[in-house]
Amino acid sequence: MTYELLLIKPNGEEKTVTYENEPKLDEYQAMVGGNIEFVNLKFNGKRKDGIVNEEGLIKRLPINHRATKMYQEQNGFSSAPIVGTVVVLKNYLLS
């Protein structure tokens, strides 16, 4: 199986990354720049697992408007935005 991830940066830049094996914890941490936290997002009309920087708000990372919208579409509105780079698991769920 190939693991497809979509990285969404706060500036709107998007990049699809493919792995032959499921990424390890340290790889996810490198993608978001620190400890990880899981979120549910709506991507292409479906619920997807997402990964964000757990301390993103404390570190005052820039708001990720696209990911915030994806989060709100899945979970309802929240006062806290999604910040920093977000990893969307395009074709698999975390086990």
Side-chain angles (χ1 to χ4, degrees), residues 25-90:
L25 174 61
D26 61 334
E27 292 173 307
Y28 288 127
Q29 289 172 326
M31 290 179 218
V32 300
N35 292 331
I36 64 173
E37 180 177 350
F38 303 107
V39 294
N40 293 317
L41 304 169
K42 178 128 348 197
F43 178 72
N44 289 341
K46 296 181 181 176
R47 188 197 76 76
K48 296 291 181 180
D49 287 335
I51 299 172
V52 299
N53 184 309
E54 180 180 49
E55 298 176 329
L57 290 171
I58 295 168
K59 293 180 178 180
R60 297 179 178 249
L61 296 178
I63 295 173
N64 189 320
H65 294 284
R66 174 129 196 276
T68 298
K69 182 178 179 185
M70 293 166 67
Y71 178 84
Q72 291 172 341
E73 287 174 354
Q74 178 63 35
N75 303 290
F77 289 92
S78 168
S79 59
I82 300 293
V83 297
T85 299
V86 175
V87 178
V88 180
L89 311 183
K90 290 176 69 174

